[in-house]
Amino acid sequence: QPYQHITARARVPLSTSLCPPVELAGHVRRAARHAFDLATELPLRATMFTIGVDDHVLMLVLHHIAGDGWSMAPLTRDLSTAYSARLAGRVPDWAPLPIQYADYALWQRDLLGDEDAPDSLAARQLAYWRKALAGLPDELTLPADRPRPPVPSHAAGAVTAGVPAELH
């Protein structure tokens, strides 16, 4: 069962590796294939590849529960801020966040109320959707190019198509 676990003063594991430049791509591929054990690990890892005296590559690997496309911009912005500050011999001067996710979750719980209380917003929303979706089939029969197999294979295919310059 997924749940939020807030770890005070968590330290992202950082491994270091001496890496000749010609071997960097292979090292990065291997580091990217890390399988997280979410029962014991944070869903974020960092590896610093040293490829020269003053030449390093920092690689972050995030489990999909720790980051998505929207969270990459703030993460890279914070890394850039931290890197710039450290180059200048300073500590990054971040302001405390005005609100935490836990604050939002508590606000939402207060707003929605108990779903078992008939007059709560949560109960009204659940009742609306139960009524709106009542009687619908589990699967819609939509036109398809071939019938579904009895057991889903979850295999995917690829379609390659060229778009001429004048069209795009």
Side-chain angles (χ1 to χ4, degrees), residues 66-156:
D68 59 12
W70 286 66
S71 57
M72 292 302 106
L75 175 61
T76 54
R77 192 172 47 249
D78 286 352
L79 281 172
S80 179
T81 298
Y83 184 74
S84 297
R86 295 301 182 175
L87 276 178
R90 296 181 289 105
V91 173
D93 58 348
W94 289 304
L97 295 174
I99 188 167
Q100 299 289 325
Y101 179 77
D103 298 323
Y104 173 78
L106 291 172
W107 166 81
Q108 186 179 38
R109 183 176 293 161
D110 287 343
L111 173 73
L112 295 176
D114 183 357
E115 62 188 56
D116 294 327
D119 60 336
S120 72
L121 179 57
R124 291 193 311 269
Q125 288 182 353
L126 284 170
Y128 170 82
W129 286 109
R130 284 187 180 116
K131 181 179 176 184
L133 300 173
L136 291 178
D138 289 339
E139 181 180 312
L140 294 177
T141 53
L142 300 172
D145 59 343
R146 57 186 170 272
R148 294 181 186 216
V151 176
S153 69
H154 302 291

Side-chain angles (χ1 to χ4, degrees), residues 43-62:
L44 169 64
R45 297 177 56 81
T47 305
M48 179 70 70
F49 298 105
T50 300
I51 55 178
V53 175
D54 291 321
D55 200 3
H56 302 81
V57 172
L58 174 65
M59 179 177 178
L60 298 179
V61 179
L62 282 79

